[in-house]
Amino acid sequence: MEAKEILQQHINKIVSLTDEQIDYVFSHFKPMIFKKGQAVISEGDKVDCEYFVVSGCLKAFYINDEIKMYILQFAMPTWWTSDFCALYNNTRATINVDCITDAEVLCISNADREKICREIHEVEHFFRWRTNRGYIASQKRLLSFMNNNAKKRYEELLAMYPQLYNLVPKHLIAAYLGVSRETLSRLYASH
């Protein structure tokens, strides 16, 4: 399936656009190909785009002063990623985004997103819906960290995103869950 068709199906789950509107919206996206391990955003970068994943898997992460990695998000096909704080506040990146696998993405600048949102009400509705869903997912994850032990967080992740276990190395899943590799191995063996 072509990138345009994947984006169209993704948008059409929320709003209906004409073929002409889809063509116009798609004309604002820039297709990009990244290799496994390649950085999309590095800490300190100027961030002016967000990325729609067509194929592959990316991760958004933060590395603290003790060189410990905290994974904020995995981004699989039809998911969006960026350093949204830097994007919306016009600041430098504080998080990194890189590729777990080879990936194809569609990149849209903040200015172009805002432009098409002003011009097509349905597109504005789609982006608002998408942002709200992302916020809800972040809250759920934060609440899970505050209320659940490692086993429960692991089970939730496995139930919600079973495909992650085929795409993402186990040490990255451990970092996402906030557990050691050994703890993840024990959890993984119990299923």
Side-chain angles (χ1 to χ4, degrees):
M1 191 177 317
E2 295 292 320
K4 180 180 172 184
E5 188 179 354
I6 293 169
L7 179 64
Q8 181 176 8
Q9 286 182 1
H10 179 65
I11 292 171
N12 283 342
K13 288 180 181 177
I14 309 308
V15 297
S16 293
L17 299 178
T18 67
D19 288 342
E20 294 78 21
Q21 287 173 320
I22 284 291
D23 289 344
Y24 180 69
V25 168
F26 188 74
S27 73
H28 290 83
F29 283 84
K30 176 184 173 189
M32 300 178 81
I33 303 289
F34 293 97
K35 293 291 183 190
K36 178 180 179 177
Q38 188 175 356
V40 177
I41 298 172
S42 296
E43 184 177 347
D45 286 353
K46 180 172 175 15
V47 179
D48 59 1
C49 290
E50 58 187 300
Y51 302 88
F52 173 76
V53 180
V54 175
S55 66
C57 186
L58 287 70
K59 74 178 184 298
F61 62 100
Y62 172 76
I63 298 179
N64 70 7
D65 292 338
E66 288 82 39
I67 318 297
K68 181 173 179 182
M69 179 185 353
Y70 294 91
I71 297 180
L72 305 172
Q73 175 198 21
F74 294 115
M76 296 181 292
T78 72
W79 292 17
W80 297 77
T81 194
S82 189
D83 181 331
F84 292 105
C85 183
L87 178 67
Y88 297 142
N89 292 320
N90 196 28
T91 58
R92 297 284 175 175
T94 56
I95 66 168
N96 304 279
V97 176
D98 72 12
C99 299
I100 295 171
T101 66
D102 290 350
E104 179 184 356
V105 301
L106 295 174
C107 171
I108 187 167
S109 71
N110 195 37
D112 279 344
R113 181 181 40 77
E114 290 299 315
K115 176 181 178 281
I116 60 177
C117 284
R118 282 190 306 273
E119 295 171 347
I120 305 172
H121 171 73
E122 292 85 359
V123 174
E124 186 279 331
H125 176 78
F126 167 78
F127 277 104
R128 181 170 37 86
W129 174 88
R130 196 209 78 217
T131 300
N132 289 346
R133 298 284 296 189
Y135 184 72
I136 290 166
S138 292
Q139 280 189 337
K140 283 183 176 180
R141 180 160 181 237
L142 183 58
L143 289 171
S144 181
F145 264 94
M146 293 186 313
N147 292 304
N148 297 325
N149 62 24
K151 182 178 183 191
K152 178 70 173 163
R153 292 194 310 270
Y154 171 81
E155 290 169 349
E156 285 175 348
L157 185 67
L158 185 62
M160 288 174 47
Y161 310 112
Q163 65 275 33
L164 274 178
Y165 289 85
N166 295 323
L167 286 173
V168 178
K170 303 308 175 259
H171 73 278
L172 295 178
I173 291 173
Y176 180 82
L177 292 171
V179 300
S180 69
R181 291 180 194 185
E182 294 77 23
T183 299
L184 181 66
S185 292
R186 284 193 302 275
L187 295 171
Y188 194 71
S190 70
H191 276 82

